[in-house]
């Protein structure tokens, strides 16, 4: 039976059209065997573009669709939805990536267009062999496991519990609150961190649907979205108790740790008694007294930014909150000690967000001395001589004046950056998510899906994913909770029909695939001496298909016939 294939070329504005001749590609596709209709449109992923595809499916009786556009990761789900709305099985779609694999990596129009034609032909050849697939469904357990009891974990727990669903809030430490519990006031509005937390702590403690597990760690997580089984252990040694919790989703809110300032030797932290970190200053502010180690009031305070951040030696990223926090310290110190001179040594002042620029201006109004230095030429701190009239001297090559300046200091505050927690790798292993090179957890998509991960049912929120401030942390926690509530409301989950399958007749039980699967989606049945795939967990990456020495594993929607037809199209 001859196929009736529709080919749709997306211009992606000028992202594709500025390099690829989309009209020529449309004409090429229209002449291919089996192609009934071919069209080019400015934005195929837009509502008019999707409606065009749906209308053509009905009008021309199309039974297969090819979309030459961007990466399937971006819009495959979008175009599958268009097929579904037109009454066509969504898996009868194939996408040719002519943006990331063509227009974005080539500059010459003719070769780029020829490559786009080859990619489109390969997609047409492959889609002819696609078969209708039907997704499975599974029950959705309404209980959520939240790892971490900081502001992100507390917010997510309350959002879900207030909607009527149970939550297990697991905190490794002996108390809730996380790093925010160590802070006095928050920038730029100088709100009390204690009051922000106390309100949430009271609500969590009195909520019937939230079970708080302090001093508890996750030991094991098995299953798949909607049907996870988590093993947690409370306590240590002989008094430790383990429990198995049935949950449908997991939110990881494990936060961050502060950078160890002693790693930067020229700041003298740990050797010079009056060099302190930002969190040590917070302790003084919470006690209501800013003082030197000797108990004396400092006459000169210096605040140094980007300690451990924006450094090729340590962390190249910005920790985001340090600039505003440093401005807060300057204002708090001047308010408590009007006679104390405050110097602020910075690389760049990142005053982003509502009220931040005004807060920066107020720092100047309280007569803070701002000194700019280059990130490759950091200030050096040394102990002062007896006759210098101060405890330390800081030498800084000041960028704006172009001069080397020496400033006095009795107390130096190091604005330590955020870094991934020491147990981040273990948490990532337990919940089967990925980390970037800095140790932060990786989201499904940094812009379009910033709270999901590549493992269905596992979400991330707050500073375990990257440095961020309180508003962004709270927003992420609520977003993760909303994603979970949307799934719970459906009652049942739809599981993607694309996964690997093991042929029992061919499987030798070698278990190569068990060790190889990055998603832990393959189990070994010792009684049958055969492996089998947990379809709800499988992401159809194909690693097991390629590695199986017995050729016993086949990927649905990526069969040998389909792949070979695609290769033949490319080589034609």
């Amino acid at each position: 039976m001859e196929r009736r294939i529709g080919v749709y070329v997306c211009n992606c504005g000028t992202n594709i059209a500025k390099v690829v001749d989309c009209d020529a590609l449309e004409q090429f596709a229209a002449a291919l065997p089996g192609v009934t209709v071919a069209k080019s449109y400015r934005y195929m992923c837009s509502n008019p573009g999707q409606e065009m595809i749906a209308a053509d499916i009905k009008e021309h009786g199309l039974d297969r669709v090819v979309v030459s556009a961007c990466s399937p990761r971006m819009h495959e789900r979008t175009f599958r939805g268009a097929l579904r709305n037109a009454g066509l099985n969504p898996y009868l779609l194939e996408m040719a990536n002519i943006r990331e694999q063509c227009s974005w990596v080539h500059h010459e129009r003719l070769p780029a267009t020829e490559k786009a034609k080859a990619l489109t032909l390969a997609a047409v050849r492959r889609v002819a062999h696609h078969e209708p697939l039907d997704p499975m469904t599974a029950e959705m357990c309404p209980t959520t496991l939240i790892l971490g009891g900081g502001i992100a974990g507390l917010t997510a727990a309350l959002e879900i519990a207030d909607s009527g669903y149970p939550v297990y809030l697991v905190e490794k430490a002996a108390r809730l609150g996380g790093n925010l519990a160590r802070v006095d006031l928050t920038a730029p509005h100088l709100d009390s961190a204690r009051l922000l937390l106390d309100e949430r702590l009271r609500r969590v403690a009195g909520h019937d649907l939230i079970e708080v597990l302090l001093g508890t760690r996750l030991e094991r997580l098995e299953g798949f979205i909607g049907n996870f089984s988590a093993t947690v252990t409370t306590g240590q040694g002989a008094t430790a108790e383990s429990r198995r919790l049935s949950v449908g989703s997991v939110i990881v809110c494990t936060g961050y740790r502060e950078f160890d300032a002693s790693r930067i030797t020229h700041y003298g932290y740990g050797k010079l008694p009056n060099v302190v970190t930002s969190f040590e200053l917070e302790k003084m502010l919470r006690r209501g007294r800013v003082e030197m180690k000797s108990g004396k009031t400092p006459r000169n305070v210096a605040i140094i930014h980007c300690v451990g951040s924006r450094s090729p030696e340590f962390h190249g990223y910005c920790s985001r909150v340090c600039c505003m926090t440093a401005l807060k310290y300057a204002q708090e110190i001047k308010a408590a000690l009007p006679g104390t001179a405050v110097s602020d040594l910075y690389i760049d002042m990142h005053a982003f967000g509502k009220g931040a620029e005004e807060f920066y201006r107020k720092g100047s109004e309280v007569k803070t001395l701002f000194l700019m230095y280059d990130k490759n030429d950091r200030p050096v701190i040394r102990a002062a001589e007896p006759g210098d009239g101060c405890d330390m001297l800081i030498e800084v090559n000041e960028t704006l004046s172009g001069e080397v300046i020496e400033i006095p200091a009795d107390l130096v505050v190091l604005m330590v950056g955020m870094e991934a927690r020491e147990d981040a790798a273990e948490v990532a292993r337990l919940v089967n998510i990925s980390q970037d090179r800095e140790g932060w957890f990786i989201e499904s998509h940094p812009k379009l899906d910033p709270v999901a991960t590549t493992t269905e049912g596992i979400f991330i929120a707050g500073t375990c994913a990257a440095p961020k401030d309180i508003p962004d942390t709270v927003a992420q926690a609520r977003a993760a909770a909303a994603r979970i509530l949307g799934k719970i409301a459906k009652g049942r989950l739809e599981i993607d029909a694309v996964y690997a399958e093991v042929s029992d007749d061919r499987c030798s039980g070698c278990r190569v695939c068990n060790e190889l699967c990055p998603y832990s989606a393959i189990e070994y049945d010792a009684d049958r001496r055969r492996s089998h795939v947990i379809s709800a967990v499988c992401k159809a990456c194909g690693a097991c298909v390629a590695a199986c020495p017995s050729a016993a594993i086949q990927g649905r929607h990526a069969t040998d016939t389909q792949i070979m037809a695609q290769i033949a199209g490319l080589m034609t």
Side-chain angles (χ1 to χ4, degrees):
M1 177 183 176
E2 186 174 344
R3 301 298 186 194
R4 297 184 64 80
I5 302 171
V7 178
Y8 298 89
V9 180
C10 179
N11 294 203
C12 197
T14 59
N15 272 296
I16 294 174
K18 70 179 179 181
V19 178
V20 174
D21 187 339
C22 293
D23 292 336
L25 181 57
E26 175 192 346
Q27 294 169 15
F28 169 80
L32 294 176
V35 174
T36 303
V37 60
K39 291 182 179 179
S40 173
Y41 188 66
R42 186 170 178 80
Y43 290 106
M44 201 61 72
C45 62
S46 66
N47 286 336
Q50 295 178 60
E51 290 166 3
M52 176 195 300
I53 294 172
D56 284 352
I57 290 171
K58 296 174 182 177
E59 180 182 347
H60 298 286
L62 302 181
D63 59 10
R64 302 288 189 280
V65 171
V66 169
V67 179
S68 294
C70 58
S71 166
R73 184 178 180 184
M74 292 289 292
H75 282 301
E76 186 173 51
R77 186 176 297 180
T78 301
F79 294 118
R80 281 182 179 175
L83 268 66
R84 185 184 292 109
N85 293 337
L88 191 63
N89 188 285
Y91 295 95
L92 298 176
L93 165 78
E94 179 62 20
M95 289 188 68
N97 185 351
I98 62 169
R99 190 179 72 174
E100 286 84 347
Q101 294 181 1
C102 197
S103 68
W104 280 6
V105 294
H106 297 289
H107 303 289
E108 296 182 21
R109 192 169 182 81
L110 184 58
T113 302
E114 290 303 310
K115 182 177 179 180
K117 289 178 180 179
L119 291 170
T120 301
L121 174 58
V124 169
R125 293 282 184 88
R126 172 172 173 157
V127 81
H129 298 280
H130 280 200
E131 297 295 335
L133 300 176
D134 295 317
M136 300 181 297
T137 61
E139 293 288 341
M140 176 70 190
C141 174
T143 305
T144 302
L145 172 66
I146 298 178
L147 302 178
I151 187 65
L154 294 169
T155 300
L158 288 168
E159 289 289 318
I160 295 170
D162 285 346
S163 299
Y165 301 104
V167 172
Y168 292 113
L169 182 56
V170 172
E171 171 54 53
K172 193 175 182 180
R175 59 167 179 79
L176 297 174
N179 285 309
L180 187 57
R182 306 162 65 192
V183 175
D184 178 35
L185 303 179
T186 62
H189 305 296
L190 301 183
D191 300 313
S192 169
R194 189 174 302 174
L195 293 179
L196 287 176
L197 275 177
D198 284 350
E199 180 267 341
R200 282 167 172 74
L201 292 172
R202 284 195 299 270
R203 288 173 59 195
V204 166
H207 210 298
D208 293 337
L209 292 176
I210 301 177
E211 183 176 347
V212 178
L213 302 172
L214 296 176
T216 302
R217 61 189 182 277
L218 178 67
E219 299 287 355
R220 188 176 179 84
L221 185 70
E222 301 169 297
F224 53 91
I225 180 172
N227 296 270
F228 288 113
S229 176
T231 302
V232 298
T233 300
T234 302
Q236 294 180 342
T239 61
E241 295 182 5
S242 294
R243 293 175 58 184
R244 289 180 70 87
L245 311 175
S246 295
V247 298
S249 304
V250 179
I251 307 179
V252 181
C253 309
T254 48
Y256 70 96
R257 69 174 176 181
E258 60 186 287
F259 177 78
D260 179 6
S262 65
R263 294 168 65 188
I264 304 180
T265 56
H266 56 264
Y267 286 158
Y269 180 75
K271 296 179 181 179
L272 298 174
N274 291 310
V275 177
V276 300
T277 67
S278 44
F279 277 109
E280 289 169 343
L281 180 64
E282 289 285 357
K283 288 182 182 179
M284 298 185 198
L285 294 169
R286 287 169 65 87
R287 291 198 307 264
R289 184 171 175 80
V290 177
E291 59 188 7
M292 300 165 63
K293 198 75 171 179
S294 62
K296 295 180 181 179
T297 298
R299 290 182 296 172
N300 298 283
V301 176
I303 303 170
I304 301 179
H305 292 225
C306 300
V307 177
S309 301
R310 304 193 66 195
S311 164
E313 185 179 356
F314 301 106
H315 302 299
Y317 55 79
C318 170
S319 289
R320 294 194 64 183
V321 301
C322 308
C323 288
M324 290 297 98
T325 305
L327 293 173
K328 180 199 76 162
Y329 290 157
Q331 295 185 37
E332 286 185 283
I333 291 169
K334 292 294 286 187
L337 306 171
T340 296
V342 178
S343 303
D344 189 305
L345 285 68
Y346 68 98
I347 298 174
D348 294 302
M349 190 63 71
H350 291 182
F352 73 95
K354 185 180 290 185
E357 279 293 337
E358 184 180 355
F359 194 62
Y360 184 15
R361 180 178 55 78
K362 287 180 179 179
S364 300
E365 291 175 353
V366 298
K367 294 184 170 54
T368 302
L369 175 63
F370 290 102
L371 299 170
M372 187 177 187
Y373 68 91
D374 187 271
K375 64 181 179 180
N376 297 315
D377 189 6
R378 306 264 173 166
V380 177
I381 305 171
R382 62 179 174 85
E385 299 296 332
D388 289 332
C390 58
D391 188 71
M392 293 166 286
L393 289 171
I394 304 175
E395 184 179 289
V396 55
N397 188 353
E398 211 281 323
T399 303
L400 298 179
S401 66
E403 297 180 359
V404 176
I405 299 174
E406 199 169 64
I407 59 172
D410 300 308
L411 184 68
V412 175
V413 182
L414 303 179
M415 302 303 302
V416 289
M418 298 183 187
E419 64 181 14
R421 287 174 55 91
E422 62 278 5
D423 61 353
E426 176 65 10
V427 173
R429 183 189 65 79
L430 287 169
V431 299
N432 199 27
I433 59 178
S434 301
Q435 294 174 275
D436 65 16
R437 63 181 180 181
E438 297 286 358
W440 305 110
F441 299 141
I442 299 177
E443 56 279 284
S444 177
H445 191 287
K447 291 183 175 64
L448 302 179
D449 209 356
V451 297
T453 68
T454 53
T455 299
E456 285 285 328
I458 309 295
F459 298 86
I460 53 177
T463 53
C464 65
K468 55 181 64 71
D469 59 7
I470 296 170
D472 284 356
T473 295
V474 170
Q476 274 205 330
R478 286 180 167 164
R483 292 288 299 277
I484 290 171
L485 290 171
K487 294 180 183 297
I488 293 173
K490 293 180 179 179
R492 293 187 66 84
L493 290 168
E494 184 177 287
I495 299 170
D496 197 346
V498 180
Y499 50 86
E501 294 178 308
V502 179
S503 169
D504 285 348
D505 293 338
R506 291 188 175 186
C507 180
S508 65
C510 69
R511 305 179 69 174
V512 168
C513 58
N514 296 188
E515 302 296 329
L516 190 66
C517 180
Y519 301 100
S520 303
I522 306 178
E523 293 181 338
Y524 180 72
D525 188 329
D527 294 332
R528 297 172 53 248
R529 300 183 66 182
R530 297 289 186 273
S531 291
H532 70 276
V533 176
I534 307 170
S535 55
V537 182
C538 178
K539 296 298 178 186
C541 69
C544 60
V545 178
C548 180
S550 305
I553 308 178
Q554 183 71 63
R556 286 162 58 98
H557 205 56
T559 64
D560 292 347
T561 301
Q562 292 164 356
I563 298 298
M564 294 306 294
Q566 187 174 23
I567 293 172
L570 279 172
M571 302 303 291
T572 299

